[in-house]
Amino acid sequence: MAWNTEETRRRIQEAATHEFAAHGLHGTTVERIAARAGVNKERIYNYFGDKQQLFVVVLGVELAKVAEAVPMRVARVEDVGDYVGRTFDYHVTHPELSRLLHWEGLADTGAVPDELTRTGHYREKVAVIAEAQRSGVLDDALVPGDVVYFLIAMAAWWGVVPQLARMLTASDAGEDELARRRAAVVVAAERLVRPVR
């Protein structure tokens, strides 16, 4: 029987994304990934090397998806609100990304997988904010890197600790509540960067 290598790799990555998001790098087993993907665990080793390397691939793919889906452009303050709103939407519909990043932080091995490439993507966002600050579109009281960090955290944190969101807002994340939270995030982001006149 001939293997469809690309399809097998896709199934492995999809299974690994689910398992890593649910259990983290250290709580996930190659056996569980293989069972979920419907492949022999040797396929995982052949295509990806070890579990750590597979985690790097999975996280890299998920970060590339969000970078493509939610680009940052800032010509006016409202563009920051739009960016945060779209980032919020992305994290609501792709909760695995925040979970993967938090599991990575909890593992804290000191080494960040593919740090140079990832840093490049984040630095592009920092450069956009810095340019908007220099041109007077955005307030320059905060360091551009801090602004980007705040914006991403503002958009993503709701899904990371839903129990905290529920306790603070006295509401589960139904459709109306998600719309309210999104609107709040947009307003907060715009206020954070609006120049003081």
Side-chain angles (χ1 to χ4, degrees):
M1 172 173 135
W3 280 97
N4 180 336
T5 303
E6 287 308 309
E7 173 61 18
T8 302
R9 287 178 66 90
R10 185 199 62 74
R11 286 193 349 250
I12 291 169
Q13 282 180 234
E14 188 176 281
T17 300
H18 176 84
E19 290 294 327
F20 287 136
H23 307 288
L25 174 61
H26 299 302
T28 296
T29 65
V30 172
E31 291 77 12
R32 270 204 321 261
I33 295 170
R36 179 177 282 276
V39 300
N40 182 300
K41 69 180 184 178
E42 294 307 315
R43 290 279 170 210
I44 295 171
Y45 293 119
N46 289 340
Y47 295 157
F48 297 99
D50 62 14
K51 183 172 68 166
Q52 173 73 33
Q53 290 172 303
L54 179 54
F55 183 82
V56 170
V57 169
V58 164
L59 190 52
V61 166
E62 294 306 312
L63 288 168
K65 286 179 186 177
V66 71
E68 183 178 332
V70 191
M72 179 188 276
R73 294 176 192 87
V74 177
R76 56 199 181 99
V77 168
E78 292 76 15
D79 292 338
V80 173
D82 177 63
Y83 168 77
V84 170
R86 288 181 294 115
T87 302
F88 178 90
D89 295 341
Y90 190 91
H91 284 278
V92 166
T93 57
H94 301 86
E96 62 279 356
L97 175 58
S98 293
R99 292 186 59 83
L100 288 167
L101 288 168
H102 282 82
W103 280 117
E104 178 188 41
L106 289 170
D108 194 17
T109 61
V112 175
D114 199 20
E115 185 168 359
L116 189 58
T117 301
R118 289 167 64 182
T119 299
H121 291 301
Y122 288 121
R123 298 306 300 166
E124 288 173 13
K125 291 175 180 19
V126 170
V128 168
I129 295 296
E131 177 55 34
Q133 287 178 330
R134 276 192 299 279
S135 66
V137 171
L138 303 181
D139 184 57
D140 64 358
L142 297 170
V143 174
D146 291 351
V147 172
V148 174
Y149 188 91
F150 295 152
L151 297 176
I152 293 170
M154 210 182 290
W157 195 244
W158 293 95
V160 176
V161 285
Q163 75 282 15
L164 178 60
R166 185 182 64 251
M167 288 184 278
L168 290 170
T169 65
S171 182
D172 284 320
E175 193 173 314
D176 290 343
E177 178 61 13
L178 284 175
R180 189 202 63 74
R181 291 175 186 179
R182 184 190 196 279
V185 167
V186 169
V187 168
E190 290 177 5
R191 287 183 182 172
L192 176 72
V193 299
R194 188 175 308 280
V196 178
R197 304 271 185 224

